[in-house]
Amino acid sequence: MIVGIDLGGMSAKARLFGEKQSSPKNVELSPLGEEVCAKTHARDSIDTTIETLSELAKEAVRRAGKRFEDVEAVGVGAPGIVDGARGVVLSWSNFGWKNVPLGEKLSEKLKKPVFVLNDANAAALGEAKFGAGRDFSDSVLITLGTGVGGGIVLDGKLFEGYKGAGGEIGHTVIRMGGRKCACGRRGCLETYVSTKALIKDTVAAAKRDRKSALYALLEEGRKADGFLLFEGLKRGDECAKQVFDRYIAALGEGILNLANLIRPQAVLIGGGISAQGETLLAPLRKYVGERLPAKGFAPLEILSATLGNAAGIYGAAYFALERTVL
Ligand SMILES: [Zn+2]
């Protein structure tokens, strides 16, 4: 049995998984018990946060009615820059972590092997193995949130680049000299397709066009969030349509860059916006399909991620499974 943990800035989640030998070469994981959750705080010391994770792992096993002695390994998806080979969080700015040996410290507490990977990569691995990517050997997850994260799975394995520093899809440039990005460059995909960018663009467009339905919605006191644009679209608003078309084009260009470079079989879209389903996916497929070379020969699926917030736990558990049992 393996415990998967997803460490975040507000909370940590964990779940126990059991292994099932599906073929001589293939072991599958199935969730046991239920997901458990604990709050995390930036003000907590490193040791306090690690104690929280330790208790959470044990709680997940208890909830499944199993004994912790029988757990083989623990996988943790952690934010920030992670050296997966050593289990060290090199830098997590929200919590002020620098060179924290998370794997080693948690392993000392739990007396079990602990494997650590970046949380976005954990989600990509989870979706690839258990979610929307399970029928494909090569998939890329793009998570559209406050930022743009994601991860690459090639030939069934996570591709992290040298020392895990690769796979930064959000920082591929789609417009040279474009919007300023937190990474120091300009025109990164993240600055056009993050939820933050979408909301900013929607509000700016509404304020430029005071006859628009978007503007009327804001005047009615509608909150400026990621759903505002889609409400405008439902009302047939031309202003909303223009913002949406630009959003699809930006996301489409990012996907085309990926497709031209590594040509996965599937691109999986995660994050809050993916709840829009076909409203988002149909025009995105059209945009990409019209510009994708060799699409008849090597087609590209664009799908919604299916595991939601649980993807990271699944991926962390699978990462630990690969390193112990497989
Ligand atoms: Zn950037």
Side-chain angles (χ1 to χ4, degrees), residues 16 57 59 66 76 82 91 119 138-139 142 162 187 192 213 240 246 250 293 303-304 309-311 317 323 325:
L16 181 67
E59 174 69 8
K66 304 288 181 188
V76 187
V82 176
S91 157
D119 55 357
D138 308 292
S139 65
I142 303 178
Y162 182 49
Y192 295 92
R246 280 198 299 272
L303 305 165
S304 283
N309 292 333
R323 272 148 192 81
V325 182

Side-chain angles (χ1 to χ4, degrees), residues 4-326:
I5 302 178
D6 186 12
L7 171 60
M10 311 277 276
S11 67
K13 293 169 288 178
R15 193 164 189 181
L16 181 67
F17 292 84
E19 300 123 56
K20 200 176 66 199
Q21 188 95 30
S22 57
S23 71
K25 274 187 154 179
N26 203 11
V27 178
E28 285 194 19
L29 283 178
S30 52
L32 301 171
E34 60 195 60
E35 191 180 301
V36 293
C37 185
K39 283 202 157 46
T40 55
H41 303 280
R43 61 169 189 271
D44 285 349
S45 69
I46 290 165
D47 286 339
T48 303
T49 302
I50 288 168
E51 181 62 33
T52 303
L53 297 183
S54 167
E55 287 308 312
L56 193 65
K58 290 176 184 166
E59 174 69 8
V61 178
R62 261 197 305 273
R63 287 283 185 91
K66 304 288 181 188
R67 296 185 319 162
F68 197 79
E69 298 92 278
D70 298 330
V71 169
E72 286 147 298
V74 177
V76 187
I81 304 166
V82 176
D83 179 350
R86 296 190 301 134
V88 173
V89 178
L90 298 176
S91 157
W92 179 17
S93 51
N94 283 0
F95 271 42
W97 285 22
K98 281 257 178 297
N99 293 311
V100 174
L102 175 60
E104 195 184 303
K105 279 177 173 263
L106 190 56
S107 178
E108 270 168 24
K109 269 200 184 302
L110 293 172
K111 311 272 184 292
K112 300 285 177 191
V114 175
F115 302 92
V116 185
L117 77 165
N118 168 267
D119 55 357
N121 283 335
L125 192 57
E127 279 294 341
K129 295 291 173 184
F130 305 100
R134 59 178 307 153
D135 295 332
F136 311 101
S137 60
D138 308 292
S139 65
V140 176
L141 174 70
I142 303 178
T143 305
L144 305 169
T146 318
V148 174
I152 301 166
V153 175
L154 296 178
D155 206 14
K157 299 250 178 256
L158 191 62
F159 174 83
E160 296 177 285
Y162 182 49
K163 294 196 172 180
E168 290 291 343
I169 296 152
H171 299 291
T172 54
V173 168
I174 57 163
R175 187 171 299 163
M176 203 163 84
R179 294 175 178 176
K180 208 164 180 218
C181 182
C183 76
R185 295 171 78 202
R186 281 183 177 274
C188 292
L189 180 64
E190 177 169 295
T191 65
Y192 295 92
V193 304
S194 68
T195 314
K196 213 166 105 187
L198 176 75
I199 295 168
K200 214 172 137 197
D201 290 347
T202 307
V203 172
K207 286 185 175 164
R208 276 196 307 268
D209 182 358
R210 301 199 164 198
K211 290 194 185 93
S212 66
L214 280 182
Y215 187 75
L217 279 162
L218 284 175
E219 284 291 286
E220 287 163 22
R222 178 65 176 77
K223 215 171 104 199
D225 60 16
F227 298 105
L228 173 64
L229 175 66
F230 295 94
E231 265 180 50
L233 282 181
K234 268 187 210 145
R235 292 191 182 188
D237 185 32
E238 189 50 39
C239 176
K241 176 85 169 58
Q242 283 171 13
V243 176
F244 181 68
D245 287 349
R246 280 198 299 272
Y247 185 83
I248 291 295
L251 186 52
E253 292 300 327
I255 291 173
L256 283 159
N257 285 345
L258 270 178
N260 281 317
L261 190 61
I262 58 175
R263 189 56 68 97
Q265 292 155 291
V267 169
L268 317 173
I269 307 290
I273 295 171
S274 69
Q276 300 299 329
E278 287 304 304
T279 305
L280 181 78
L281 295 185
L284 194 56
R285 285 190 196 109
K286 183 167 182 284
Y287 187 94
V288 171
E290 284 168 359
R291 294 163 179 83
L292 184 69
K295 64 172 175 176
F297 171 64
L300 175 74
E301 297 274 357
I302 300 176
L303 305 165
S304 283
T306 55
L307 294 177
N309 292 333
I313 303 181
Y314 277 82
Y318 189 83
F319 188 73
L321 175 82
E322 267 187 329
R323 272 148 192 81
T324 46
V325 182
L326 295 183

